[in-house]
Amino acid sequence: MSANKRIPVMEIFGPTVQGEGMVIGRKTMFVRTAGCDYSCSWCDSAFTWDGSGKEDIRLLTALEIIEELKQIGGDTFEHVTISGGNPALLPQLGELIDRLHDEGISVALETQGSRWQDWFWAIDELTLSPKPPSSGMTTDWSVLDDIVAKLNGQERNFCLKTVVFNDADLEYATSVHLRYPHIPFYLQAGNGNLQETEPRLMLPYLVERYEWLIERIMPNPDLKRVHVLPQLHTWVWGNKKGV
């Protein structure tokens, strides 16, 4: 198989608990792909795009990925989350998604909504996560509008999610919700403490950030139909990779 058909994989792990978005709490395996068209200032997976993890990248076929998922997870799972980086950079993911479905495995995926792929139609739980001002990135609204319109027209199972670190982010998140008011919308407290290596020292900080977000959202009349989430896996494992 040619290299452009192979998938650049950083890590495969699980089963674990999905910590974010519309499938929070779901038992899942993870496939993390390399490469991103963004460079968010607070990215908790910067090793997928900043060069620090380049030695970990493996170019795998869809069948090799599924074989490794089974080697690691055995018969303990029926759900796979594809994450990154930005998996939407990879047109070749369509084969992996189809083969996972052939195995009776459902697929979730998160992307910032900067690129369209036709395999979006096949994702069972698709999360579009446009990035707020604190990321340092700028949203291309015309692209996001187009993606939302395509998915909405086919009544796909998708949602929007924005991570919030401060009041400017919350204002941005509110504008996202008002722009697409009928799409399920999730707000998530951001983790600004990526250097801490001791999980038990992380929890008080994460609880405080979640409480701050709750207090900001509850009185806001523009945010009636929303879900307010912590980053659940960080409450248990902090900044540890591979969980």
Side-chain angles (χ1 to χ4, degrees), residues 191-206 234 237-241:
N191 173 15
N193 192 10
L194 297 176
Q195 305 309 314
E196 179 57 64
T197 59
E198 180 54 59
R200 65 182 177 83
L201 298 179
M202 284 286 291
L203 189 54
Y205 162 78
L206 294 168
T234 62
W237 296 291
N239 293 312
K240 184 179 179 181
K241 286 173 59 180

Side-chain angles (χ1 to χ4, degrees), residues 51-150:
S52 63
K54 62 183 179 181
E55 294 181 357
D56 295 327
I57 298 173
R58 296 177 294 152
L59 295 175
L60 303 178
T61 66
L63 287 175
E64 287 170 340
I65 292 172
I66 291 173
E67 181 180 351
E68 188 163 331
L69 284 165
K70 291 179 177 179
Q71 287 174 351
I72 296 170
D75 63 354
T76 65
F77 70 96
E78 61 174 11
H79 189 272
V80 168
T81 299
I82 302 174
S83 64
N86 182 11
L89 298 179
L90 305 173
Q92 65 268 40
L93 277 179
E95 181 187 357
L96 174 62
I97 295 160
D98 289 344
R99 289 186 179 274
L100 286 168
H101 284 155
D102 289 344
E103 298 277 342
I105 297 168
S106 55
V107 181
L109 184 140
E110 181 175 316
T111 175
Q112 57 261 47
S114 59
R115 299 284 185 94
W116 170 265
Q117 294 290 348
D118 285 342
W119 49 253
F120 280 10
W121 302 121
I123 297 294
D124 298 289
E125 296 117 353
L126 177 64
T127 297
L128 304 177
S129 183
K131 306 307 179 187
S134 64
S135 69
M137 300 294 103
T138 301
T139 302
D140 187 332
W141 294 106
S142 63
V143 174
L144 187 58
D145 284 348
D146 182 59
I147 293 173
V148 170
K150 285 180 178 178

Side-chain angles (χ1 to χ4, degrees), residues 4-239:
N4 65 349
K5 291 292 186 181
R6 291 177 176 267
I7 297 165
V9 175
M10 296 291 301
E11 54 182 352
I12 298 173
F13 61 92
T16 187
V17 173
Q18 170 59 260
E20 304 185 4
M22 68 193 300
V23 286
I24 190 168
R26 179 71 186 268
K27 183 179 183 181
T28 190
M29 296 289 291
F30 271 86
V31 176
R32 187 181 301 281
T33 62
C36 194
D37 50 333
Y38 278 21
S39 53
C40 296
S41 61
W42 37 251
C43 181
D44 61 2
S45 305
F47 60 92
T48 62
W49 52 263
D50 67 4
S52 63
K54 62 183 179 181
E55 294 181 357
D56 295 327
I57 298 173
R58 296 177 294 152
L59 295 175
L60 303 178
T61 66
L63 287 175
E64 287 170 340
I65 292 172
I66 291 173
E67 181 180 351
E68 188 163 331
L69 284 165
K70 291 179 177 179
Q71 287 174 351
I72 296 170
D75 63 354
T76 65
F77 70 96
E78 61 174 11
H79 189 272
V80 168
T81 299
I82 302 174
S83 64
N86 182 11
L89 298 179
L90 305 173
Q92 65 268 40
L93 277 179
E95 181 187 357
L96 174 62
I97 295 160
D98 289 344
R99 289 186 179 274
L100 286 168
H101 284 155
D102 289 344
E103 298 277 342
I105 297 168
S106 55
V107 181
L109 184 140
E110 181 175 316
T111 175
Q112 57 261 47
S114 59
R115 299 284 185 94
W116 170 265
Q117 294 290 348
D118 285 342
W119 49 253
F120 280 10
W121 302 121
I123 297 294
D124 298 289
E125 296 117 353
L126 177 64
T127 297
L128 304 177
S129 183
K131 306 307 179 187
S134 64
S135 69
M137 300 294 103
T138 301
T139 302
D140 187 332
W141 294 106
S142 63
V143 174
L144 187 58
D145 284 348
D146 182 59
I147 293 173
V148 170
K150 285 180 178 178
L151 293 169
N152 208 28
Q154 295 291 323
E155 296 184 356
R156 299 303 303 158
N157 186 21
F158 77 104
C159 72
L160 286 152
K161 187 195 82 176
T162 300
V163 178
V164 176
F165 285 84
N166 54 41
D167 285 318
D169 287 356
L170 185 57
E171 183 177 345
Y172 170 91
T174 303
S175 72
V176 172
H177 184 49
L178 293 176
R179 191 180 188 96
Y180 314 108
H182 300 298
I183 308 302
F185 188 58
Y186 294 76
L187 297 107
Q188 181 176 297
N191 173 15
N193 192 10
L194 297 176
Q195 305 309 314
E196 179 57 64
T197 59
E198 180 54 59
R200 65 182 177 83
L201 298 179
M202 284 286 291
L203 189 54
Y205 162 78
L206 294 168
V207 172
E208 183 274 327
R209 297 310 302 157
Y210 186 41
E211 185 177 17
W212 172 85
L213 184 59
I214 291 170
E215 290 175 349
R216 289 295 194 278
I217 291 172
M218 293 307 114
N220 189 326
D222 290 325
L223 296 172
K224 294 187 180 80
R225 299 177 64 237
V226 301
H227 305 256
V228 188
L229 300 180
Q231 199 177 32
L232 185 59
H233 59 284
T234 62
W235 284 39
V236 181
W237 296 291
N239 293 312

